[in-house]
Amino acid sequence: MSQSPSPLAQAASSPGLEMYLPLVLLFVLAAGFAVFSVLLGPLVGPRRYNRAKQMAYECGIEPSPQPLVGGGRMPVAYYITAMLFILFDIEMVFLYPFAVSADALGLFGVVEIVLFVATVGFAFAYVWRRGGLDWN
């Protein structure tokens, strides 16, 4: 007559959802802390409101009313400059690991980086030719 293992031994030997319990508890703890912080802030924070604190902040100067025509739109050149900054910032993020492990990558790494820089260079040349860098 063979003995079957006890239910406790079976539960310990079969990995199920129990292995995710610490992760679920961490998410519950993080969500609880976030909700607690958001709800507790207005209750214990100072309540010293005045007219200056209720106004929009624009670099220390009094805000001007928005014009009726145009709705206060920003020039497109600002957005293009921001996108170019993000583009070259991401390029630098990809170039740093290559610079650290250039010896280990060998010729394959050099070819990949040349292709990457050429792709970014074509994008830069396109924006330059279209006049995206002209500040008129």
Side-chain angles (χ1 to χ4, degrees):
M1 173 163 104
S2 70
Q3 291 182 338
S4 64
S6 69
L8 183 59
Q10 286 179 350
S13 65
S14 64
L17 294 178
E18 294 87 20
M19 63 186 277
Y20 294 108
L21 183 63
L23 187 62
V24 170
L25 289 176
L26 180 66
F27 281 131
V28 168
L29 182 67
F33 179 74
V35 169
F36 176 73
S37 298
V38 168
L39 294 177
L40 189 66
L43 295 175
V44 298
R47 292 180 186 90
R48 291 173 283 193
Y49 299 110
N50 57 30
R51 194 173 84 104
K53 286 186 179 181
Q54 298 296 332
M55 294 176 57
Y57 179 72
E58 289 187 12
C59 302
I61 60 173
E62 297 226 5
S64 59
Q66 293 292 330
L68 296 176
V69 179
R73 294 184 183 161
M74 299 283 292
V76 175
Y78 292 122
Y79 297 110
I80 292 175
T81 304
M83 292 303 292
L84 285 175
F85 173 76
I86 291 171
L87 177 77
F88 290 110
D89 191 41
I90 291 172
E91 180 185 15
M92 287 298 113
V93 167
F94 284 122
L95 286 178
Y96 276 124
F98 169 74
V100 170
S101 62
D103 292 339
L105 294 175
L107 183 62
F108 172 76
V110 171
V111 170
E112 290 296 321
I113 290 300
V114 166
L115 289 174
F116 179 70
V117 170
T119 304
V120 173
F122 286 135
F124 178 67
Y126 175 78
V127 170
W128 193 349
R129 183 170 167 146
R130 297 278 302 199
L133 301 177
D134 294 335
W135 287 86
N136 295 329

